[in-house]
Amino acid sequence: MHQVRRILVHSTAVAAGQRQAREKRLARAKEEMDKLAGAAGGRHYKTREKIAARAGVIAAKRRVTACLCWSITTDEHGTPALAWHFDQDAPTPRLPSTAGTRC
């Protein structure tokens, strides 16, 4: 029988890179969601379904599904409006990484 040790190494460089990547994803998602909020109810996003579909695409594309919250309301004229925010209590999504898991 062989005994094998597994050593996990925490790399501050990898952690810093992951933090920067997360901040970049959040910044880009913020830009796109702000743009969508401004366009909600306009020519291209007249319905709640179109707004919800686009918000879902942004969340999936920018990988912020776990922390992006949005709601769509309708005014007295039937015009939809988008309100959104990032949930700060949501768990930080981890990117797949093999750093530090070598045996």
Side-chain angles (χ1 to χ4, degrees), residues 79-102:
T79 304
L82 173 69
W84 70 275
H85 69 276
F86 289 120
D87 184 7
Q88 299 301 323
D89 297 329
T92 302
R94 294 189 155 241
L95 297 176
S97 174
T98 57
T101 59
R102 297 183 185 164

Side-chain angles (χ1 to χ4, degrees), residues 10-93:
H10 175 74
S11 170
T12 56
V14 171
Q18 288 176 342
R19 185 173 45 254
Q20 287 176 347
R22 182 176 191 273
E23 290 171 2
K24 187 175 182 180
R25 286 195 318 269
L26 290 174
R28 287 188 176 171
K30 179 187 181 311
E31 289 174 10
E32 291 182 17
M33 290 299 290
D34 284 342
K35 185 176 177 182
L36 178 60
R43 182 174 62 174
H44 296 291
Y45 299 103
K46 291 179 183 178
T47 64
R48 297 170 62 96
E49 292 78 18
K50 286 185 178 184
I51 296 169
R54 180 64 185 145
V57 168
I58 292 169
K61 180 181 175 185
R62 298 298 175 199
R63 295 178 302 197
V64 294
T65 306
C67 61
L68 180 63
C69 302
W70 74 81
S71 63
I72 302 170
T73 58
T74 306
D75 67 4
E76 64 275 357
H77 302 291
T79 304
L82 173 69
W84 70 275
H85 69 276
F86 289 120
D87 184 7
Q88 299 301 323
D89 297 329
T92 302

